[in-house]
Amino acid sequence: MNEKEKNELYKEFGIDDAAGVFENLQEKESLGQEILERIQATKEIREGQDRILKLRRKKTMLTIAAAVGFVLISTGLLFLQPFGGDSYITVTVAKGETRKLVLPDGSTVWLNSASTFKYPKKFGEKRRVYLLEGEGFFDIVHDDKVPFVVEAAGIKTNVLGTSFVVKSYQALSTMSVAVVSGKVAVSDDHQQTSVLEQNEEAIYNKDHRKPTVVKVKATERKAWNDGNVILNAAYFEDLVLAVENAYQVKIKYDQQKFKNCQNSIRFNTKQSLKEVLDLIKEIQGITYQIKEEKEVLITGSGCN
């Protein structure tokens, strides 16, 4: 089709200036192509900017995560350091039982009922152990260069080589250290220090922490190791706890009524619970009931 025939065809559709239309179409096509190219360029620029922003955000988040991780790890290390994680062994003795332990230096510890004890798998420059709850009899191997320290409820017992009993039950209002042989130095958080020799006992009241040093027959303090319970001028709470731990029972009584009661008692854990309660009834004038599920109810006038 020649140019003349094209023009005639355009005229049939009412188009007079075919050449102008054609040129106009070409211009429009050229403009449309330019617009498409600009849109594509803008899209590529924005995609590039988005990638840069994402990379920056990712880098920022990684930096924050690393900083937080460092703080948590540092805090964790500081928290775990005192007990060294797996480098310590924790031993818990159930009610009605006692247990013997041999420590890394050859020292021996006997733990009484309802006691929890923590010690290192290996001693280094220090020999330090923790009586977290309960009572223990310690027979320590002598070492002039490395003192042995027992920590219990803020009270530290320092020795070079000796044997002694530490009693620190949470249920009691007092804790004590009694020397069976040798000499020990006992101190608290306020740096109050008592030097104890054989057959001396330091008793700490948990309220004021002031130690009272008394003369005792220290071998009686570890009699529980042979199944014997010997309490001299002991408060009623101490007597009750001894029975609870030996016979795995819970004793309910009016603590305020019996707060000032002090008694001396001796019994063997091979005796029945009823026999021991009858003995307490005789010396204290109580009335008791043994209920199901190992519960005992004690009533009486007390010592007000």
Side-chain angles (χ1 to χ4, degrees), residues 129-158:
V129 298
Y130 303 85
L131 182 62
L132 305 179
E133 166 74 1
E135 187 171 17
F137 169 55
F138 298 83
D139 192 358
I140 305 305
V141 171
H142 190 89
D143 189 335
D144 288 328
K145 297 180 180 179
V146 185
F148 191 98
V149 181
V150 180
E151 291 197 19
I155 303 297
K156 298 178 183 179
T157 304
N158 295 265

Side-chain angles (χ1 to χ4, degrees), residues 113-129:
S113 299
S115 296
T116 301
F117 181 67
K118 198 161 193 172
Y119 67 98
K121 290 181 179 179
K122 183 179 180 181
F123 287 127
E125 295 180 356
K126 297 180 180 179
R127 294 189 293 169
R128 189 181 299 272
V129 298

Side-chain angles (χ1 to χ4, degrees), residues 62-76:
L62 288 172
T63 302
I64 293 172
V68 173
F70 176 77
V71 172
L72 291 175
I73 290 171
S74 300
T75 305

Side-chain angles (χ1 to χ4, degrees), residues 205-217:
N205 186 293
K206 292 180 180 178
D207 290 334
H208 54 67
R209 290 283 181 169
K210 293 180 180 179
T212 300
V213 178
V214 296
K215 289 285 185 179
V216 295
K217 191 174 181 181

Side-chain angles (χ1 to χ4, degrees), residues 270-301:
K270 291 182 180 180
Q271 293 175 254
S272 69
L273 173 62
K274 186 178 183 305
E275 288 176 321
V276 175
L277 291 173
D278 283 339
L279 185 58
I280 299 173
K281 180 179 179 179
E282 182 180 339
I283 64 176
Q284 183 60 55
I286 64 163
T287 299
Y288 70 86
Q289 287 179 283
I290 301 176
K291 298 186 175 183
E292 295 180 0
E293 297 183 359
K294 295 187 175 183
E295 183 177 295
V296 177
L297 176 62
I298 288 180
T299 57
S301 57

Side-chain angles (χ1 to χ4, degrees), residues 218-233:
T219 53
E220 293 182 349
R221 294 292 187 267
K222 69 180 187 72
W224 48 262
N225 191 36
D226 298 317
N228 296 305
V229 176
I230 302 175
L231 298 174
N232 292 311

Side-chain angles (χ1 to χ4, degrees), residues 25-281:
L25 286 172
Q26 284 184 325
E27 289 177 0
K28 288 182 178 179
E29 288 177 358
S30 176
L31 180 59
Q33 182 64 32
E34 182 179 350
I35 291 172
L36 287 174
E37 289 176 354
R38 289 184 179 181
I39 291 173
Q40 183 64 29
T42 302
K43 182 180 179 182
E44 291 175 356
I45 290 171
R46 287 181 177 176
E47 289 177 347
Q49 289 175 339
D50 287 342
R51 284 195 295 270
I52 292 172
L53 285 173
K54 287 180 180 179
L55 286 172
R56 287 178 178 174
R57 287 172 185 166
K58 186 176 181 180
K59 184 177 180 180
T60 302
M61 292 301 294
L62 288 172
T63 302
I64 293 172
V68 173
F70 176 77
V71 172
L72 291 175
I73 290 171
S74 300
T75 305
L77 288 174
L78 288 172
F79 179 77
L80 293 173
Q81 190 173 352
F83 289 133
D86 292 337
S87 63
Y88 274 76
I89 297 172
T90 301
V91 177
T92 299
V93 182
K95 288 184 177 181
E97 299 179 6
T98 59
R99 186 175 302 181
K100 176 184 177 181
L101 302 174
V102 178
L103 302 183
D105 64 344
S107 297
T108 306
V109 180
W110 285 265
L111 296 175
N112 202 354
S113 299
S115 296
T116 301
F117 181 67
K118 198 161 193 172
Y119 67 98
K121 290 181 179 179
K122 183 179 180 181
F123 287 127
E125 295 180 356
K126 297 180 180 179
R127 294 189 293 169
R128 189 181 299 272
V129 298
Y130 303 85
L131 182 62
L132 305 179
E133 166 74 1
E135 187 171 17
F137 169 55
F138 298 83
D139 192 358
I140 305 305
V141 171
H142 190 89
D143 189 335
D144 288 328
K145 297 180 180 179
V146 185
F148 191 98
V149 181
V150 180
E151 291 197 19
I155 303 297
K156 298 178 183 179
T157 304
N158 295 265
V159 304
L160 295 175
T162 185
S163 60
F164 56 97
V165 178
V166 178
K167 186 174 185 177
S168 178
Y169 284 102
Q170 293 180 21
L172 300 180
S173 59
T174 62
M175 64 171 296
S176 61
V177 179
V179 180
V180 178
S181 65
K183 183 186 296 185
V184 307
V186 185
S187 61
D188 63 8
D189 294 333
H190 302 291
Q191 302 302 314
Q192 295 185 93
T193 302
S194 300
V195 177
L196 306 176
E197 297 184 349
Q198 185 177 15
N199 291 326
E200 287 186 334
E201 180 179 50
I203 302 171
Y204 287 80
N205 186 293
K206 292 180 180 178
D207 290 334
H208 54 67
R209 290 283 181 169
K210 293 180 180 179
T212 300
V213 178
V214 296
K215 289 285 185 179
V216 295
K217 191 174 181 181
T219 53
E220 293 182 349
R221 294 292 187 267
K222 69 180 187 72
W224 48 262
N225 191 36
D226 298 317
N228 296 305
V229 176
I230 302 175
L231 298 174
N232 292 311
Y235 283 101
F236 198 74
E237 64 173 10
D238 204 341
L239 190 158
V240 166
L241 184 64
V243 175
E244 286 183 331
N245 289 343
Y247 294 95
Q248 305 175 57
V249 296
K250 177 62 180 177
I251 298 178
K252 293 184 177 182
Y253 68 103
D254 189 328
Q255 295 184 15
Q256 194 61 36
K257 275 188 177 182
F258 290 90
K259 181 179 179 180
N260 297 319
C261 297
Q262 285 183 280
N263 297 285
S264 295
I265 189 172
R266 296 182 178 218
F267 64 88
N268 187 281
T269 54
K270 291 182 180 180
Q271 293 175 254
S272 69
L273 173 62
K274 186 178 183 305
E275 288 176 321
V276 175
L277 291 173
D278 283 339
L279 185 58
I280 299 173
K281 180 179 179 179

